[in-house]
């Protein structure tokens, strides 16, 4: 099985300086511990992560980059973000591969999945069940007029996730359960009733609370009989867009990267540190963590392999510039 957890705007900046981050406040103690105990790819010899590249710095772009190995080089208002419009019809992504191999796939999110084309993407690339705020209300788990922040808070998201995972675990087929949190969204995050007021900045409190929710969820997972047979991938969808918070709180010279952790990966490597990679590289790496034999997929390179990533072979600025050039091939993929 695969449990793929996207943590909204989760970047390595939030780790303590001694662990590889740039924070003087211990915002993510559990996530830090989990990362050290498992496989995590880094751009340094401590905790680090994936470089953001053109077309991957927003949620849908970050998801598609991590699951298809290509950028989304169009704005939120583009026709591809609307329902019932073909979305990357000539691309074979993670969901397409797993659907072909019989996985039951679910995408769970606390907001309206149609925003930014996320619903179209998941329906068209793997026929996922989309469990967003609208579907949760249809199932009677929330009142019809319920609305907090973007939809419903992460406290509820993790509880709904537990319920769905128990359902999936009873089926006689592997599952891919993908979820996306939201409470750490810019500019100030969301503070639920259970969120502790430990820090001066509200977003810092939201990050710390997300860490607590993740800890509770992981401890619950360990008690389930499907835990050992499940690969768990935890990553940020992109780095934070909370410009004021980042600039006031952290060093501008720090190299901000997208967090990643692989638990129960079916592949191993001694080359996890001092890597230069992008979220494109997470696509084949996730496949490899499930036991697939793949060196490259899209613009991504399997980080478990001996192959160099594109940004280890090419200057990242040059790569970024190349991505923005007009490409008839890219247009054909759309």
């Amino acid at each position: 099985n695969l449990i793929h957890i996207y943590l909204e705007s989760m970047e390595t900046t939030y780790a303590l300086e001694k662990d590889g981050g740039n924070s003087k406040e211990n915002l993510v103690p559990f996530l830090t511990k989990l990362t050290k105990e498992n496989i995590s790819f880094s751009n340094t010899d401590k905790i680090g992560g994936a470089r953001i590249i053109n077309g991957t710095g927003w949620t849908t772009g970050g998801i598609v980059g991590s699951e298809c190995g290509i950028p989304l080089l169009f704005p939120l208002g583009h026709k591809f973000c609307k329902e019932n419009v073909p979305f990357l019809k000539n691309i074979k992504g993670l969901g397409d591969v797993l659907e072909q191999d019989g996985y039951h796939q679910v995408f769970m999110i606390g907001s309206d999945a149609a925003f930014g084309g996320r619903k179209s993407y998941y329906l068209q690339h793997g026929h996922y069940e989309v469990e967003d705020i609208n579907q949760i209300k249809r199932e009677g788990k929330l009142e019809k007029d319920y609305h907090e922040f973007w939809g419903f808070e992460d406290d509820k998201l993790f509880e709904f996730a537990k319920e769905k995972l128990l359902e999936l675990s009873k089926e006689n087929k592997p599952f891919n359960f993908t979820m996306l949190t939201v409470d750490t969204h810019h500019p100030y995050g969301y503070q639920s009733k259970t969120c502790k007021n430990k820090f001066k900045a509200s977003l810092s409190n939201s990050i710390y609370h997300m860490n607590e929710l993740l800890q509770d969820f992981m401890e619950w997972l360990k008690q389930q009989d499907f835990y050992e047979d499940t690969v768990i991938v935890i990553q940020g969808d992109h780095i934070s867009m909370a410009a004021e918070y980042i600039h006031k709180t952290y060093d501008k010279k720090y190299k901000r990267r997208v967090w990643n952790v692989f638990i129960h990966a079916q592949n191993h490597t001694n080359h996890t540190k001092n890597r230069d990679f992008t979220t494109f590289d997470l696509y084949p790496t996730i496949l490899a963590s499930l036991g697939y034999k793949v060196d490259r997929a899209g613009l991504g390179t399997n980080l478990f392999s001996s192959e160099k990533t594109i940004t280890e072979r090419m200057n990242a600025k040059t790569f970024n510039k190349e991505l923005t050039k007009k490409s008839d091939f890219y247009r054909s993929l759309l």
Side-chain angles (χ1 to χ4, degrees):
N1 309 307
L2 171 63
I3 295 177
H4 191 181
I5 305 173
Y6 285 102
L7 301 177
E8 171 64 46
S9 305
M10 181 47 56
E11 56 177 85
T12 57
T13 310
Y14 306 142
L16 287 171
E17 291 179 349
K18 68 182 182 67
D19 294 318
N22 192 234
S23 180
K24 292 179 172 58
E25 299 173 324
N26 200 3
L27 302 180
V28 285
F30 174 74
L31 182 57
T32 296
K33 180 174 181 290
L34 193 68
T35 302
K36 290 179 177 181
E37 292 173 348
N38 292 281
I39 294 173
S40 179
F41 296 93
S42 173
N43 57 308
T44 72
D45 58 359
K46 296 180 179 179
I47 290 176
R51 181 191 293 271
I52 285 293
I53 213 82
N54 278 334
T56 65
W58 54 300
T59 295
T60 311
I63 288 172
V64 170
S66 302
E67 296 185 11
C68 298
I70 66 164
L72 282 189
L73 299 172
F74 50 76
L76 269 175
H78 198 283
K79 65 179 182 179
F80 298 123
C81 293
K82 298 177 182 178
E83 292 191 64
N84 303 315
V85 174
F87 194 110
L88 301 173
K89 62 180 179 178
N90 295 317
I91 282 291
K92 188 174 184 179
L94 178 65
D96 300 298
V97 174
L98 299 186
E99 180 187 31
Q100 193 172 17
D101 287 338
Y103 279 70
H104 184 168
Q105 305 194 94
V106 176
F107 174 58
M108 183 174 282
I109 184 173
S111 58
D112 184 346
F115 181 77
R118 296 169 298 188
K119 185 175 182 179
S120 293
Y121 166 70
Y122 279 111
L123 288 177
Q124 294 178 39
H125 292 276
H127 293 96
Y128 286 68
E129 286 181 35
V130 176
E131 294 270 345
D132 65 352
I133 186 169
N134 301 314
Q135 180 60 27
I136 292 290
K137 286 181 178 181
R138 282 192 287 269
E139 294 172 5
K141 296 177 182 178
L142 287 175
E143 296 295 326
K144 291 183 179 180
D145 60 350
Y146 190 88
H147 192 90
E148 288 289 334
F149 200 40
W150 281 73
F152 62 84
E153 61 273 39
D154 289 343
D155 298 60
K156 288 183 171 60
L157 179 71
F158 279 102
E159 291 306 310
F160 293 148
K162 292 174 185 178
E163 293 176 18
K164 192 64 182 181
L165 283 166
L166 289 177
E167 289 179 24
L168 293 171
S169 68
K170 292 180 173 64
E171 299 179 358
N172 191 28
K173 61 168 63 176
F175 61 78
N176 165 21
F177 180 82
T178 300
M179 62 183 287
L180 168 65
T181 67
V182 72
D183 286 2
T184 50
H185 200 283
H186 76 95
Y188 309 113
Y190 174 80
Q191 293 78 48
S192 68
K193 293 178 182 178
T194 61
C195 182
K196 297 181 177 69
N197 190 28
K198 288 175 63 71
F199 306 101
K200 183 178 180 180
S202 58
L203 185 52
S204 293
N205 290 317
S206 296
I207 293 166
Y208 185 82
H209 185 57
M210 179 283 305
N211 173 83
E212 290 188 314
L213 291 174
L214 181 65
Q215 180 173 3
D216 172 79
F217 185 66
M218 290 302 301
E219 289 174 352
W220 176 84
L221 279 177
K222 287 182 179 180
Q223 304 304 315
Q224 309 311 310
D225 55 10
F226 58 84
Y227 176 71
E228 295 295 337
D229 297 321
T230 302
V231 172
I232 303 166
V233 178
I234 303 170
Q235 66 164 102
D237 55 346
H238 51 73
I239 59 175
S240 178
M241 298 179 190
E244 182 180 358
Y245 170 77
I246 293 293
H247 293 156
K248 280 186 176 180
T249 313
Y250 305 103
D251 186 347
K252 293 179 180 179
K253 295 181 181 179
Y254 178 78
K255 294 180 179 178
R256 300 164 62 197
R257 295 291 187 267
V258 175
W259 205 301
N260 72 94
V261 188
F262 290 79
I263 301 167
H264 299 154
Q266 300 301 295
N267 269 289
H268 300 278
T269 178
N270 294 322
H271 189 29
T272 61
K273 303 296 184 184
N274 297 304
R275 303 295 307 270
D276 195 316
F277 63 104
T278 72
T279 49
F280 297 151
D281 300 305
L282 296 180
Y283 171 32
T285 306
I286 292 169
L287 284 174
S289 74
L290 290 166
Y292 286 86
K293 294 182 179 179
V294 55
D295 285 337
R296 299 187 191 280
L299 295 172
T301 301
N302 172 14
L303 295 170
F304 288 104
S305 74
S306 59
E307 299 286 333
K308 289 185 177 181
T309 69
I310 290 180
T311 50
E312 287 173 333
R313 293 183 288 121
M314 175 190 292
N315 181 280
K317 288 184 178 179
T318 303
F319 185 33
N320 250 332
K321 187 176 180 180
E322 291 295 317
L323 286 175
T324 59
K325 289 182 178 179
K326 181 182 176 182
S327 168
D328 290 336
F329 174 69
Y330 180 75
R331 291 177 65 86
S332 74
L333 298 177
L334 303 180

